[in-house]
Amino acid sequence: MNLSEKKVLFITTYKARDFEGNALVGYYLYKNYAVESQFIHGYSVKQEIEKLKPAVLVMDHLVWDHKKELAFWANSVGVKVVLLFTEGYYKDISSFDKIFGHPNADKLNVTKYLVWNNQMVKRVKDLDYSDEFSQKMIVTGSPRFDFLTNTSLSSFGFSKLDFIKKYDLQDYKEIITYMSTTPYQGYSFEKFYSRYKKKANFSDEIIRNFYDDNQKQFRNHTTIIKKLAVSNPEIVFFYKSHPSEAYISNYETVFEGVNNIKLISNENVRPFLQYSNLVIQRNCTTALESWLLGKPVVQLDDADYNSKTYKEHLDYSYLINNLEELDAFIKSKEYQNWNVDNVTIFLEGIFGKLDGLAYKRVADEIVMILEKWNETDQTNLENNLLKYRKEVDTRFMNRVKDFLRLDRKTSLRPKVYIKRLFRKKKNNSNEVNIEPNEVHEFYNKLNDFV
């Protein structure tokens, strides 16, 4: 069985955040081995596996119970599961535990974990997993950041002139971008609690603290950015929403009438980092990305949040505590003198390597799995998927829906309809499948850079 006959399926949860890094791996697989990849959001994965019949499923994390179940199921039907983490920046390395599926990670039969750094490997060993399991942890770095550290890729995407034209910035003297870390603003506590308690087994204290921080920070920071924009009309302020924020319309009333605030959602963060004079955030991965690009960062600690300031911000960010202080800081242009030299060792500790070649290391690990995949494996997968489909089709509720000529996704529970009737409408389209034509268009653009 040739490599070109074998398929790879990437879970690409948020198109704006995750596609470029995953597609860089896919590009390398396609150009060097003629291996086709598909990139899908995190729902209906089983149906996509039935259609594509991939040898390898690349997943993003194992926090949620349904992700753990998916990893176990995929392995049970014969698909090789690889974890390529999109998250790896934590205040405390213990936060990695749920990401890789602890405390029962060794029961999920994942083939490989492609991790950011040696700290993650050490954490697994410290949790007393077996040597056999620990050896599945392979340090590759994260392709998500290769565009920031690979000199050949640094000019991929928008030129500054194109960026200025796209967002109509000709009349502004500087660009400042605020990066949101409030993915759950707009959620009711009941819905938030259910999500984290029932689906990820977080403690009540962690859930309450996380929720309260989201709501407080959203209220405080939108107010601060609005007042900064009014006070500095010669500066454009981009407000970049978190890729998983669902209630984007909540910003409309907050920023209404302030022309030099531009709300950005469902867009790649990289050009905003590249062309900003200053980045404002609170404990966000974009701070690290900014430092990789030599950009100064403000850590906005305007309140007593449950999530305390990460230590690295004490060393490498400008710590600012209120609107007045931040306004004066911006007007003074003090951030123009920021020096990035002493942050390199910290960044190497997080990203493992800063060579911009994580995508090659990840692709090579996937190829090693593909090379062992044979016709017997493919036949077993196809047979197992047929058995799975028969099992699904014969379930009582599905037979009822088929008899009533209802879509299988239709719920027959009245409680679900009542909830939907009163549910706030989400308006974020970042969780989408990436179409094949989009993938090949991206690959064609990469030809001039890789």
Side-chain angles (χ1 to χ4, degrees), residues 186-414:
Y187 276 70
S188 67
F189 179 72
E190 292 74 20
K191 182 176 181 179
F192 181 82
Y193 180 86
S194 176
R195 178 178 174 85
Y196 273 88
K197 188 67 174 181
K198 296 180 180 178
K199 300 179 180 180
N201 302 310
F202 278 75
S203 71
D204 286 5
E205 180 182 8
I206 290 175
I207 294 170
R208 171 52 73 178
N209 288 344
F210 189 17
Y211 181 82
D212 288 349
D213 275 0
N214 262 247
Q215 310 317 311
K216 182 193 292 185
Q217 188 173 313
F218 172 76
R219 291 191 303 269
N220 290 7
H221 287 194
T222 52
T223 300
I224 288 172
I225 296 301
K226 181 177 181 178
K227 291 182 177 179
L228 285 174
V230 172
S231 179
N232 299 273
E234 76 286 358
I235 298 174
V236 65
F237 289 82
F238 283 108
Y239 196 107
K240 177 71 173 65
S241 65
H242 191 278
S244 63
E245 285 190 55
Y247 301 103
I248 303 300
S249 60
N250 287 350
Y251 289 102
E252 294 174 1
T253 53
V254 179
F255 294 146
E256 186 178 6
V258 185
N259 295 329
N260 60 323
I261 294 181
K262 296 182 182 288
L263 177 65
I264 302 298
S265 62
N266 297 338
E267 293 194 39
N268 189 295
V269 71
R270 185 160 47 84
F272 300 96
L273 297 176
Q274 285 177 315
Y275 303 127
S276 289
N277 301 95
L278 177 68
V279 174
I280 302 171
Q281 53 76 64
R282 188 172 192 282
N283 292 343
C284 184
T285 308
T286 55
L288 279 68
E289 296 175 76
S290 300
W291 294 333
L292 287 171
L293 292 169
K295 299 289 182 176
V297 173
V298 162
Q299 168 81 359
L300 184 51
D301 281 337
D302 61 293
D304 185 19
Y305 295 104
N306 296 300
S307 173
K308 302 306 178 185
T309 301
Y310 291 8
K311 179 183 180 300
E312 50 268 28
H313 290 295
L314 302 174
D315 298 327
Y316 311 120
S317 292
Y318 293 99
L319 266 63
I320 294 182
N321 297 315
N322 54 58
L323 167 66
E324 294 73 23
E325 186 182 343
L326 183 53
D327 191 33
F329 175 78
I330 289 172
K331 286 180 166 63
S332 74
K333 302 292 190 291
E334 180 183 342
Y335 50 87
Q336 294 178 350
N337 301 318
W338 185 76
N339 190 319
V340 73
D341 292 345
N342 62 347
V343 77
T344 303
I345 293 176
F346 166 75
L347 292 174
E348 287 177 343
I350 295 293
F351 296 112
K353 295 181 180 179
L354 299 179
D355 58 4
L357 299 175
Y359 73 96
K360 289 187 177 182
R361 290 186 285 272
V362 169
D364 287 342
E365 293 295 333
I366 292 173
V367 167
M368 280 189 249
I369 297 172
L370 293 175
E371 286 176 335
K372 295 178 181 178
W373 183 267
N374 56 42
E375 291 180 0
T376 301
D377 294 320
Q378 189 69 37
T379 299
N380 287 338
L381 171 60
E382 292 172 5
N383 289 337
N384 287 335
L385 289 174
L386 284 173
K387 291 178 184 177
Y388 168 73
R389 178 43 47 195
K390 289 179 181 178
E391 176 193 329
V392 170
D393 289 342
T394 56
R395 289 174 187 168
F396 175 73
M397 291 308 299
N398 285 338
R399 291 170 66 185
V400 170
K401 291 175 187 178
D402 291 345
F403 177 77
L404 297 174
R405 297 183 180 180
L406 296 174
D407 188 287
R408 288 274 179 89
K409 295 179 182 179
T410 303
S411 174
L412 298 180
R413 293 178 295 169

